[in-house]
Every structure is written in C-alpha cells, then in structure tokens.
Amino acid sequence: MSEAFDAFERAAWDSNDASAYEALFGPITSQVVEPLLDAVRAGRGSRVLDVATGPGYVAGRAAARGATVTGLDRSAQMLAIARARHPAVTFVEGNAEALDFPAASFDAAVASFCLLHLASPERAAAELARVVVPGGRVAVTVWNTPDRARLMGVVPESARAAGAIEPADLPAGPAFFRFADDAEMRRLLTGAGLHDAEVLTIEWRTWIPSLEHLWRGFADGTARTRALLAAQPADVQARIRGELAHALEPYREGDAYSVPVSVKLGAATRR
Ligand SMILES: C[S@@+](CC[C@H](N)C(=O)[O-])C[C@H]1O[C@@H](n2cnc3c(N)ncnc32)[C@H](O)[C@@H]1O
C-alpha cells in the first residue's frame, strides 16, 4: 500500500489547484496556527521547523514571532506560493518521513494537517522528534472525527449517499481520522520517544459562503477526495451536490453556512 499511496499523494499535491486549497482551507487551518506555535513555545530566537508547510501559514506566523523558521514541503507548487508570501523564511523541498537535517537542529518542530497524507506517520513522528534538541517540543494537528469536524464529513458522506464508487486505481490510504483518537495520538508521540504528550481539542464554526465554495475546495484543492470526485460521472456528481445541499442545510445562515470544525492538537517534549 505505502509506495503507491506515497506516489499518489506526491503527484496530487503538485497537480491540484493550490488556489482552491487556499480559498477553502487557508482561513480554516490558519485558525490553529497560534495554539500550535504556543504548544511548541515558538518565540524570538527559537529555531522552528514547519513540516508540510503548504502555503506557509505556520512558518509565516512563527517568523512574525521572531523565530528562525524553516518551512519544508514536498510540493514544488506549494513551496513557490510559500516563498512568494514569506520572503524572509527559508523554504526547502523535503519529505516528512526522511528529514534531511542533522539530529537536534531545531528547538521545535511542527506538522499541521500533514499526518493523514503520509504512508508512515510513525516515521514522520520519529523524524520530528529526532530533529529537535533534548527538551525541544514537537506538535502536530489533525482533523477530529467527522461527527465533530462536520466540514470534513459532509462531502465524503454525500459522495457515499450518492453511490459514488472509488476509482480502482486510487491506492488505499491510511485511516483518515486515526489520530483524532486521543490515545492513538499519545501513542504516536510517545512511540517517537517523546514524553509529556498532551492532546487539545480546538473547535469553532467556519463561515462557508456557498456550496460551490466548499465543492471547489474539495474537488480541486485536495488529494484523495479530489480523485474520488473527479472519477464520478456527471450524473453521480450532480447527485453528490444534491446530497451536499441536504447535508449543509442544518448549518445554513441566510445564503451561507456556518459549519462546525474540530481539530486535535498533539504536543510533546523530546527527552
Ligand atoms: C493539507 S496541506 C497542509 C498545509 C499547511 N500545513 C496547512 O496547515 O494549511 C498538506 C501539505 O502536506 C504536504 N505533504 C504531503 N506529503 C508530504 C510529505 N511526505 N513530506 C512533506 N510534505 C508533504 C503537501 O504538499 C501539502 O502542502
């Protein structure tokens, strides 16, 4: 499973529409940046590594705190956006599962909404732990389960309800919500040799201006869900949109929607 999935994810993040990712997910993933940086005590003079930086939301805010920041991603298009946005930050191409830095190079390492895109989250957690100094901090975020993170539930649930069939060539990926479980998150961090593992739940409602805005974000700006939606014939896509309209109805406010989001933040210290 892992090689095919890894190759799929790599291609997906270089070929999807990064502007669609930014339009939908940027304002949402940015909400957890400050708690994430607080969890690793990022501040003036600290050396911070932001793994899977994407457009550089975390890296940019860490730099604004006065940290010396390195942002890392595997996608050339994401790195191009991040560099244009944050010229003062160093961005490098690299793989979360095999970081090209010596041990103990950073005071803190973070990876926000990265784990579900990896064939081996355990390897990535071990790498995050390896590159921080003893006493250094590691923190990660993942989506909470879709009953709480409705944002992440409504599209796949609508696809299932509409009878969407997964394309045969879509490689099996790791369980999307595995680390939403607090015990599983703690196990990941302690298994990487970290201690004092703690898990926070961060919840809020995000403003979605239209069904079309949500659809574009998922259909153009993601990896697995984009592949699922793209493989459906027009009539199934139309049925999914119908189901989505129904699924969003409880969150309607006028012409827009106020949709629950829920995130797990795991943090721990290197021995
Ligand atoms: C969902 S985005 C998260 C971006 C950003 N951290 C945020 O909070 O919005 C996932 C990012 O992980 C990157 N990525 C996926 N697999 C990776 C890997 N193995 N190593 C490094 N980056 C990876 C993608 O290119 C993409 O930019």
Side-chain angles (χ1 to χ4, degrees):
M1 174 272 259
S2 52
E3 257 177 48
F5 176 73
D6 193 59
F8 164 79
E9 281 283 333
R10 177 170 213 158
W13 287 102
D14 256 333
S15 60
N16 71 2
D17 179 349
S19 66
Y21 177 82
E22 284 220 86
L24 178 62
F25 291 101
I28 297 168
T29 64
S30 292
Q31 291 292 320
V32 302
V33 170
E34 294 299 337
L36 188 71
L37 292 176
D38 288 346
V40 296
R41 300 167 198 143
R44 183 154 302 283
S46 53
R47 296 163 300 167
V48 175
L49 175 65
D50 176 26
V51 170
T53 190
Y57 306 129
V58 179
R61 301 259 280 271
R65 287 184 176 206
T68 302
V69 187
T70 303
L72 176 143
D73 204 283
R74 213 161 52 150
S75 158
Q77 69 157 344
M78 284 295 186
L79 286 168
I81 296 171
R83 287 185 179 119
R85 292 273 159 74
H86 309 288
V89 173
T90 302
F91 289 100
V92 298
E93 192 172 332
N95 184 353
E97 294 182 33
L99 296 174
D100 196 10
F101 301 106
S105 311
F106 297 95
D107 301 302
V110 297
S112 205
F113 303 102
C114 167
L115 297 180
L116 68 152
H117 300 293
L118 303 179
S120 175
E122 289 81 4
R123 237 179 354 236
E127 282 293 80
L128 292 170
R130 181 183 66 79
V131 299
V132 298
V133 294
R137 297 278 290 168
V138 168
V140 299
T141 61
V142 295
W143 302 111
N144 200 355
T145 46
D147 57 321
R148 306 293 312 165
R150 294 302 299 134
L151 176 84
M152 301 311 289
V154 285
V155 173
E157 288 162 17
S158 300
R160 270 196 298 279
I165 295 171
E166 282 217 345
D169 60 351
L170 183 63
F176 207 87
F177 297 106
R178 176 178 162 199
F179 299 108
D181 179 70
D182 288 11
E184 195 66 4
M185 173 71 92
R186 279 200 193 88
R187 260 196 298 279
L188 177 79
L189 296 170
T190 53
L194 301 163
H195 73 115
D196 282 347
E198 57 195 348
V199 183
L200 292 179
T201 306
I202 304 170
E203 304 194 304
W204 71 99
R205 278 175 174 251
T206 193
W207 190 249
I208 301 290
S210 65
L211 182 152
E212 192 55 28
H213 180 79
L214 186 69
W215 180 269
R216 289 266 70 86
F218 278 91
D220 297 340
T222 61
R224 275 186 264 184
T225 309
R226 169 172 166 254
L228 172 71
L229 296 178
Q232 306 310 312
D235 60 326
V236 179
Q237 291 211 7
R239 281 211 303 274
I240 300 172
R241 282 170 179 266
E243 294 288 346
L244 186 55
H246 185 65
L248 285 173
E249 209 43 45
Y251 313 117
R252 173 181 286 287
E253 287 194 15
D255 289 338
Y257 304 94
S258 170
V259 181
V261 181
S262 183
V263 171
K264 292 285 180 177
L265 191 167
T269 307
R270 181 168 171 199
R271 290 181 194 283

